[in-house]
């Protein structure tokens, strides 16, 4: 999944005019990059681009943005400029598994 596909999903099905799609992508990327550059632990809800973030957590080498969704497990986006610490599904309770999303961004799932 890419930022463009997230923008298309958020703005509705069907073909988007390229200007609207490009504007959405730039807005989402700018919001996420700014938040990642200034990663501070927070339990206050905020919106970053098209994502509703309910928790932000700095971690070694990056930043986690917990987004609404997931049934029992926590899910979100993670920013790791030097690569995620682990690619694959979480193995044990409390573990976080990452998969590539877009550049130095990863989707994650934390096992409950």
């Amino acid at each position: 999944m890419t930022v463009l596909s997230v923008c298309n999903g958020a703005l509705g099905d069907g073909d988007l005019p390229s200007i609207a799609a490009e504007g959405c992508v730039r807005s989402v990327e700018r919001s996420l990059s700014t938040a990642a550059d200034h990663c501070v632990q927070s339990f206050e809800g905020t919106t970053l681009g098209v994502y509703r973030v309910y928790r932000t957590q700095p971690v070694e080498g990056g930043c986690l943005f917990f987004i609404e969704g997931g049934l029992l497990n926590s899910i979100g986006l993670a920013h790791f400029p030097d690569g995620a610490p682990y690619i694959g599904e979480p193995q044990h309770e409390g573990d976080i598994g990452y998969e590539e999303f877009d550049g130095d961004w990863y989707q994650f799932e934390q096992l409950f």
Side-chain angles (χ1 to χ4, degrees), residues 16-54:
L16 285 177
S18 62
I19 293 172
E22 289 173 17
C24 176
V25 169
R26 281 194 303 273
S27 174
V28 170
E29 288 175 343
R30 188 172 38 252
S31 294
L32 290 171
S33 292
T34 299
D37 290 344
H38 301 82
C39 186
V40 177
Q41 183 167 341
S42 173
F43 293 92
E44 295 182 24
T46 188
T47 301
L48 298 175
V50 295
Y51 298 102
R52 181 78 183 128
V53 176
Y54 69 87

